Amino acid sequence: MRFIHVPIQEGDPVTIWIDNKRAFLIKVKKGKRLDTDKGYILHDQLIGKEYGEIIKISKGEAYLLKPTPMDIYTTLPRPSQVIYPKDASYIIYASGIQPGDTVVEAGTGSGFLTITLAYFLGPNGKVISYDVREDMQNKAKQNALMLNLLDRIEFKIKDIRQGIDEKEVSAVILDMPDPWNVVSKAYEALKPSGSLIVFVPTVNQIEKTVLQMRNEGFIDIHAEELILREYQVKENAVRPKNIGVMHTGYLIRGRKYIKGTSL
């Protein structure tokens, strides 16, 4: 079987990987250039190349990679705290969402989870992102545009506590200070058996949220914390890295049941 490799074109996103400390996510535009301490790269050089190729720079080599969600976290601007990959990936897995689904989230923040969801839901899926801060959503839009995912996202400047406009959505994901005040709204918006996923930084928020979920028609409720530890790999010296991503927050998940349907 022969695989067709589509060359990089103007407007395509590319991750320029030099080493573990130097990775740059760019959108190819004629006439522009990327400057690094290892040398510069002309965007025009990239047009017609393939993802996976190597190009020479003045102090070594650079690799042209197709951006993945992990590159979002390592390269894009983050004016606010973000949900890390270990949590974002678990949110997708635990929620049961699949390509083509519609998902509601709040708040948008820097848009890292928004973009990850849009990437996963595919061209027929939709992310509806609520936030009260237009400045944050503008930054999130820029980040989504960098990866050509803007058409999969609808940004709304609205306090989600006042209600969710959408109905029959597959999942509602909340990253906000008082998610318990949105639980009833999430129940109304979700499909039967749909998932509510909540990310909070403190245990106090867990208690209030879980109790509210129990009162509002959610079952299969769990409160969890994920810890990721990376290893340093050297010959005869493999050990955990001294610095890692440990506590980032707590995840609460539950599923909607139809109240009043028991026989």
Side-chain angles (χ1 to χ4, degrees), residues 1 8 16 29 53 80 86 100 109 132 145 178 181 196 222 236-239 255-256 262:
M1 178 184 292
I8 296 169
I16 308 293
K29 187 175 181 181
E53 284 197 48
S80 64
K86 68 181 180 69
V132 295
L145 186 61
D178 57 337
N181 287 325
L196 172 61
H222 301 267
N236 298 319
V238 177
R239 61 175 179 80
R255 293 190 279 180
K256 172 182 176 175
S262 60

Side-chain angles (χ1 to χ4, degrees), residues 111-124:
F112 282 38
L113 179 61
T114 318
I115 293 168
T116 302
L117 291 169
Y119 180 95
F120 179 80
L121 290 171
N124 297 319

Side-chain angles (χ1 to χ4, degrees), residues 195-245:
S195 295
L196 172 61
I197 311 285
V198 178
F199 180 86
V200 292
T202 72
V203 292
N204 309 64
Q205 293 165 304
I206 294 176
E207 181 179 3
K208 290 182 179 179
T209 304
V210 169
L211 293 178
Q212 191 65 26
M213 288 173 69
R214 288 175 182 166
N215 290 335
E216 293 289 350
F218 288 92
I219 56 167
D220 193 21
I221 301 171
H222 301 267
E224 299 158 321
E225 178 185 15
L226 306 178
I227 294 175
L228 176 69
R229 183 166 68 174
E230 186 176 359
Y231 278 71
Q232 169 186 293
V233 180
K234 295 181 179 179
E235 189 174 0
N236 298 319
V238 177
R239 61 175 179 80
K241 286 189 173 182
N242 294 328
I243 300 174
V245 178

Side-chain angles (χ1 to χ4, degrees), residues 104-211:
V104 167
E105 69 148 3
T108 309
S110 301
F112 282 38
L113 179 61
T114 318
I115 293 168
T116 302
L117 291 169
Y119 180 95
F120 179 80
L121 290 171
N124 297 319
K126 199 74 174 178
V127 183
I128 317 294
S129 189
Y130 286 72
D131 206 299
V132 295
R133 290 185 56 181
E134 188 171 4
D135 59 328
M136 295 304 297
Q137 284 207 338
N138 286 338
K139 177 55 68 176
K141 288 176 183 177
Q142 292 174 24
N143 287 337
L145 186 61
M146 175 67 76
L147 289 162
N148 295 333
L149 294 173
L150 198 55
D151 60 340
R152 304 181 189 182
I153 305 167
E154 181 180 347
F155 292 96
K156 288 191 172 183
I157 301 296
K158 179 180 176 180
D159 187 344
I160 200 170
R161 301 172 188 86
Q162 304 303 315
I164 298 173
D165 301 328
E166 295 71 32
K167 303 299 178 189
E168 294 291 305
V169 302
S170 298
V172 174
I173 303 166
L174 303 176
D175 177 14
M176 53 187 296
D178 57 337
W180 51 89
N181 287 325
V182 186
V183 171
S184 63
K185 309 294 191 305
Y187 183 90
E188 294 170 3
L190 282 166
K191 295 177 180 178
S193 191
S195 295
L196 172 61
I197 311 285
V198 178
F199 180 86
V200 292
T202 72
V203 292
N204 309 64
Q205 293 165 304
I206 294 176
E207 181 179 3
K208 290 182 179 179
T209 304
V210 169
L211 293 178

